[in-house]
């Protein structure tokens, strides 16, 4: 049911590290031509770390892990590409549509493959308004045993509520060289992570322990936007507040909310949020590549042994 492109399929067979990348950020989150820059910088970041990048999407109804170059072009052109979250996967497949997958849908697909690490910008979460709007990213994180690298949750969200939900759902939030949950475009939210790791090997060790305990949840690894590109929190809050007012006035609803707010914040920050977005996407892809490599090393070092039995 799920197609891997030849290079990704080959890498998985040879047990080389692979990092999945979502496509909704390319087809809905970022405008042309920033989306191309994002794709190029993310793929280069993964490759630079020694891993294989696999952009994930539904292509003419086929769930695909690793887009071929001509397929990626179609998603960068954005025409006729649906935003596909987890519940939209089946309709997109049955209707042979082209769909760009969100964090939730990408997780749902890679949880059925051997790809263990996934890089994105920021996860969805609990929206500030309307109060019942909560991204499907959260429940998919709760049932997809994979490593997700991001810069926290998007700053347009209610971050304290999002962290509370992650706690309830049992998702470890690992700060990579940081103690505070990053606020996507801003370095920090003043909210604590649940554990800290200093190296990719430490992340790999936590991931291994999480799986050995039989846990099903994703491991959420967060790192702040690179300092030179980040936006100060006070300034960002002003832009987010204005974006939320605009969305309310125009009655923006459902899956249009996230793309609308991101575009409004970009206008308000005169493009600085876009530069921050590109920088953090690249940094997350690099870190995901290094974690995938560390997980591969771990595997190689583990001598297969018969499972212990209680006597
Ligand atoms: N972060 C971005 N741009 C995006 C998204 C996140 O900088 O476009 C996308 C991701 O794909 C995320 C989705 O999974 O928005 C969440 O949308 P929603 O709130 O509708 O679940
Ligand atoms: Mn929503």
């Amino acid at each position: 049911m799920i197609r891997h492109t030849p290079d990704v399929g080959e890498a998985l067979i040879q047990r080389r590290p692979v990092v999945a990348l979502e496509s909704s950020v390319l087809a809905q989150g970022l405008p042309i031509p920033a989306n191309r820059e994002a794709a190029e910088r993310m793929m280069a970041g993964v490759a630079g770390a020694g891993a294989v990048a696999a952009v994930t999407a539904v292509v003419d109804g086929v769930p695909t892990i690793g887009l071929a170059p001509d397929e990626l072009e179609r998603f960068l052109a954005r025409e006729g590409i649906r935003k596909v979250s987890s519940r939209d996967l089946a309709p997109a497949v049955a209707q042979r549509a082209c769909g760009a997958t969100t964090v939730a849908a990408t997780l749902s697909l890679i949880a059925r493959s051997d790809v263990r690490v996934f890089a994105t910008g920021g996860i969805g979460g609990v929206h500030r308004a309307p109060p019942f709007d909560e991204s499907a990213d959260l429940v998919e994180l709760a049932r997809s045993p994979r490593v997700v690298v991001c810069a926290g949750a998007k700053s347009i969200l209610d971050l304290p509520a999002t962290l509370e939900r992650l706690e309830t759902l049992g998702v470890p939030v690992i700060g990579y060289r940081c103690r505070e949950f990053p606020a996507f475009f801003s370095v920090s939210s003043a909210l604590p992570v649940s554990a800290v790791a200093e190296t990719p090997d430490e992340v790999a060790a936590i991931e291994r322990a999480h799986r050995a305990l039989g846990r099903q949840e994703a491991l959420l690894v967060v790192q702040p936007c690179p300092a030179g590109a980040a936006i100060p929190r006070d300034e960002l809050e002003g832009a987010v507040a204005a974006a939320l007012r605009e969305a309310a006035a125009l009655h923006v609803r459902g899956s249009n909310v996230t793309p609308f707010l991101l575009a409004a914040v970009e206008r308000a920050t005169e493009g600085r949020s876009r530069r921050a977005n590109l920088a953090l996407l690249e940094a997350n892809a690099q870190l995901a590549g290094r974690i995938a490599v560390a997980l591969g090393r771990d595997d190689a070092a583990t001598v297969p042994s018969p499972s212990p039995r209680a006597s």
Side-chain angles (χ1 to χ4, degrees):
M1 174 81 170
I2 296 173
R3 175 174 74 105
H4 293 106
T5 32
D7 56 334
V8 173
E10 188 70 12
L12 289 174
I13 289 167
Q14 294 176 1
R15 296 180 147 268
R16 283 188 285 129
V18 176
V19 172
L21 305 171
E22 60 150 310
S23 47
S24 178
V25 66
L26 303 179
Q28 283 97 26
L30 285 166
I32 295 170
N35 61 350
R36 179 179 302 278
E37 185 180 340
E40 286 170 357
R41 286 172 68 175
M42 289 188 89
M43 292 192 291
V46 171
V52 174
V55 180
T56 299
V58 179
V59 183
D60 298 323
V62 182
T64 301
I65 298 180
L67 295 184
D70 61 313
E71 293 169 342
L72 179 61
E73 286 305 320
R74 292 171 66 186
F75 284 80
L76 293 177
R78 299 173 57 126
E79 284 297 307
I81 309 284
R82 304 181 182 180
K83 173 175 168 179
V84 170
S85 191
S86 36
R87 69 169 183 180
D88 309 312
L89 280 166
V93 168
Q95 295 164 359
R96 299 199 164 83
C98 274
T101 49
T102 65
V103 170
T106 304
L107 270 175
S108 173
L109 293 181
I110 66 169
R112 283 151 190 82
S113 84
D114 292 326
V115 177
R116 293 152 78 189
V117 184
F118 167 31
T120 182
I123 58 163
V126 182
H127 282 261
R128 301 186 197 187
F132 46 80
D133 186 352
E134 180 177 317
S135 175
D137 291 359
L138 294 181
V139 284
E140 287 308 320
L141 283 164
R143 58 185 173 209
S144 306
R146 295 293 180 267
V147 177
V148 179
V149 181
C150 68
K154 281 163 294 177
S155 12
I156 54 174
L157 300 171
D158 182 334
L159 296 184
T162 300
L163 274 175
E164 291 295 342
R165 288 291 290 140
L166 287 168
E167 181 191 359
T168 303
L169 295 168
V171 177
V173 179
I174 310 297
Y176 186 77
R177 298 187 179 163
C178 63
R179 293 177 180 283
E180 288 180 20
F181 189 63
F184 197 49
F185 297 136
S186 298
V187 166
S188 124
S189 63
L191 301 163
V193 294
S194 70
V196 175
E198 298 291 339
T199 63
D201 284 314
E202 261 185 70
V203 175
I206 296 171
E207 164 69 0
R208 186 164 284 273
H210 194 55
R211 299 305 155 223
L213 288 161
R215 308 283 313 178
Q216 283 302 304
E217 307 86 358
L219 197 70
L220 191 66
V221 178
V222 296
Q223 72 169 349
C225 177
I231 301 176
R233 210 162 113 218
D234 294 348
E235 191 187 328
L236 187 65
E237 273 308 306
V240 171
L244 288 167
R245 280 196 300 272
E246 209 181 322
L250 295 173
H251 305 289
V252 181
R253 285 283 183 273
S255 65
N256 293 328
V257 169
T258 293
F260 179 90
L261 291 175
L262 289 171
V265 167
E266 184 173 321
R267 286 194 297 278
T269 61
E270 289 163 349
R272 282 166 60 222
S273 69
R274 187 190 308 181
R275 280 194 290 284
N277 207 340
L278 292 171
L280 67 86
L281 283 167
E282 179 180 15
N284 294 344
Q286 283 169 348
L287 177 57
R290 294 174 64 204
I291 292 169
V293 168
L295 280 169
R297 255 199 315 269
D298 253 27
D299 288 347
T302 308
V303 182
S305 56
S307 51
R309 282 173 202 280
S311 53

